[in-house]
Amino acid sequence: MNLTPEQLAAAQKANLETLNGITNQALVSIEKLVELNMHIAKASLSDSMNNVKKALEIKDVQQLLAHQAETVQPMAEKMMAYSRHLYELANDTQAGFSKTTEKEMQASQKKMNAMVEDWSKNAPAGSEAAVAAMKQAIASASTIYENSQKAMKQALDVAQTNLSNATESVLKATEKATKSSKR
């Protein structure tokens, strides 16, 4: 089977469009990451200045301990919120890439099936086994891809659950430590 120049040009155009889409997805994710980091940097600077001002007003050890207790929990909560935002950003980016990949895989599979059908119509007599083997290979590749996508989704779900549990545990431990230090 020979490809025509028009078919090659169309394939190159489709590949370029896919690359452009993936690049745009990556740039949007990077932009969101930069925005998140800028927000964190501004908030951290403001919090640090407030903490320094309060620290300069401390007159005894009890006030120092109270000040430390007041700053620990909000800092831990902000760190956990930042971690959640990073995870969500990574998850959204991965989901976008997966959607694009899935779309491309489906299109490729359709093209491959059409090529095999075209080839099988023009194949010489006695090549039925080769055609059947080609069709089976395409079906197997599709199944493997679908199974890997399912496994990846399950792994992401487990990671989300673990992150949520860890966040909850850290916040509870921080709150408990803060309460203990205030006594």
Side-chain angles (χ1 to χ4, degrees), residues 64-81:
L64 176 64
L65 293 175
H67 174 69
Q68 287 177 337
E70 289 172 4
T71 60
V72 170
Q73 184 164 354
M75 187 179 358
E77 289 171 355
K78 288 177 184 174
M79 288 172 38
M80 295 310 294

Side-chain angles (χ1 to χ4, degrees), residues 105 108-110 112-113 116 131-147:
M105 285 293 292
S108 295
Q109 185 175 6
K110 285 180 184 177
M112 187 67 90
N113 287 336
V116 169
V131 171
M134 182 70 81
K135 287 181 179 180
Q136 181 60 40
I138 293 170
S140 295
S142 178
T143 301
I144 290 169
Y145 174 75
E146 289 171 6
N147 289 341

Side-chain angles (χ1 to χ4, degrees), residues 42-107:
K42 288 177 183 179
S44 295
L45 180 61
S46 175
D47 290 347
S48 294
M49 292 306 292
N50 288 335
N51 286 334
V52 167
K53 287 177 184 176
K54 287 180 181 178
L56 291 173
E57 296 171 1
I58 293 175
K59 300 192 186 335
D60 61 22
V61 174
Q62 290 295 357
Q63 286 180 334
L64 176 64
L65 293 175
H67 174 69
Q68 287 177 337
E70 289 172 4
T71 60
V72 170
Q73 184 164 354
M75 187 179 358
E77 289 171 355
K78 288 177 184 174
M79 288 172 38
M80 295 310 294
Y82 178 73
S83 295
R84 277 193 303 271
H85 286 296
L86 284 179
Y87 175 80
E88 289 168 5
L89 179 59
N91 193 29
D92 291 346
T93 301
Q94 185 276 333
F97 287 162
S98 290
K99 185 177 179 181
T100 300
T101 303
E102 185 175 324
K103 180 180 159 188
E104 287 302 310
M105 285 293 292
Q106 289 173 350

